[in-house]
Amino acid sequence: MTAATALKTADYFDPLDAVDYLDARYANVAPEEVIDGALKYFGRRFALVSSFGSESAVLLHIASQVSKDIPVLFLDTGKLFGETKRYRDELTKLLGLTDVRSITPDQNDLQAQDPKGILWSQSTNKCCFIRKVAPMARVLEGFEGWASGRKRYQGGVRSLLPHFEASDGRVKVNPLAFWTKDDVLDYKERAGLPDHPLVADGFASIGCMPCTDRIEEGESERAGRWRGQAKTECGIHLSLSENTRILSKS
Ligand code: SF4
């Protein structure tokens, strides 16, 4: 029995123990080894979360080289660009991913809190909560670890990202945390991965249609997200207690 298996057969799951274990082995390795290590540790209780945005192809390609069966969770908020959904389908086919899951908001939440579909124009925090945070929290109940494509160079709260972090009873895995923008672009070019169709149209970071703008030269990559607001993150990377605190002020 390996040390990883021994930890996993315990009656409880402690994300801090898991981070210690994973850090000791994979804190300073390449992204594919981070994903491979997480898959060995969590097995089918590990997923990748992808927005199928402008840089998503790189992490999806790396993951597909490790396992094409890895569950990929895609939040279909009901407010996405059609181009993003077509890009999802294109990459899924190209990379041979077999378990891409589209996660949608709860219909009762939408009926009760956003019957006209314009909540984003009144409170982006409340809209993100019912369309992103709550659906993500529900689907993650089936997982102990999940990875996303956040990188330190994206700045803000991302500037100190480690490979592994404990949050809300799970382990968040950031295989690309230490990559630079050039690393991402080089990999994308070498792998021959297609661009999100909106990149050529001036969009750098792509989320929901009402909350995504083009950026001007010299602006940061995420400057077009929730433009004009203090908001910089949708909330899926915050703990539920942080989201509750933000909502109480909205
Ligand atoms: Fe709503 Fe905008 Fe958040 Fe999408 S990004 S869930 S439209 S507030």
Side-chain angles (χ1 to χ4, degrees), residues 32-229:
E32 60 270 26
E33 295 171 78
V34 173
I35 293 173
D36 189 49
L39 268 175
K40 286 191 171 108
Y41 185 83
F42 295 112
R44 291 297 290 171
R45 294 180 71 81
F46 177 67
L48 189 69
V49 173
S50 180
S51 65
F52 286 84
S54 56
E55 289 184 346
S56 299
V58 168
L59 184 60
L60 288 165
H61 184 268
I62 294 170
S64 75
Q65 304 298 297
V66 180
S67 167
K68 297 200 185 303
D69 300 335
I70 187 170
V72 178
L73 311 178
F74 169 71
L75 276 174
D76 184 354
T77 64
K79 297 289 175 187
L80 299 175
F81 291 92
E83 286 88 340
T84 298
K85 294 211 225 179
R86 287 193 284 280
Y87 189 52
R88 171 201 60 191
D89 296 343
E90 179 186 2
L91 284 180
T92 299
K93 194 170 170 198
L94 179 73
L95 303 179
L97 296 165
T98 62
D99 193 7
V100 177
R101 306 178 192 183
S102 289
I103 315 301
T104 54
D106 183 278
Q107 287 304 314
N108 292 329
D109 286 349
L110 292 181
Q111 278 291 328
Q113 298 180 56
D114 194 11
K116 294 182 178 169
I118 56 168
L119 185 57
W120 60 269
S121 65
Q122 298 152 353
S123 169
T124 48
N125 286 332
K126 286 179 183 165
C127 185
C128 275
F129 191 84
I130 62 168
R131 291 181 184 274
K132 292 188 174 187
V133 177
M136 183 59 75
R138 272 194 299 275
V139 72
L140 284 180
E141 281 172 14
F143 298 95
E144 291 171 343
W146 59 287
S148 71
R150 293 181 304 160
K151 293 148 272 274
R152 288 185 168 197
Y153 75 77
Q154 291 172 317
V157 294
R158 304 182 178 199
S159 52
L160 294 174
L161 281 177
H163 274 159
F164 306 100
E165 48 185 340
S167 175
D168 270 349
R170 293 184 182 78
V171 176
K172 288 200 290 191
V173 183
N174 308 301
L176 300 180
F178 306 134
W179 271 26
T180 64
K181 179 81 181 172
D182 282 347
D183 290 333
V184 173
L185 293 176
D186 286 352
Y187 186 97
K188 193 156 174 283
E189 193 175 327
R190 274 188 284 113
L193 296 169
D195 272 334
H196 187 294
L198 292 177
V199 168
D201 204 14
F203 292 88
S205 173
I206 300 159
C208 293
M209 200 165 15
C211 304
T212 302
D213 196 6
R214 294 175 179 82
I215 61 167
E216 302 294 330
E217 201 173 331
E219 282 191 312
S220 76
E221 196 166 271
R222 289 177 62 82
R225 304 291 294 276
W226 304 284
R227 188 181 281 289
Q229 300 183 38

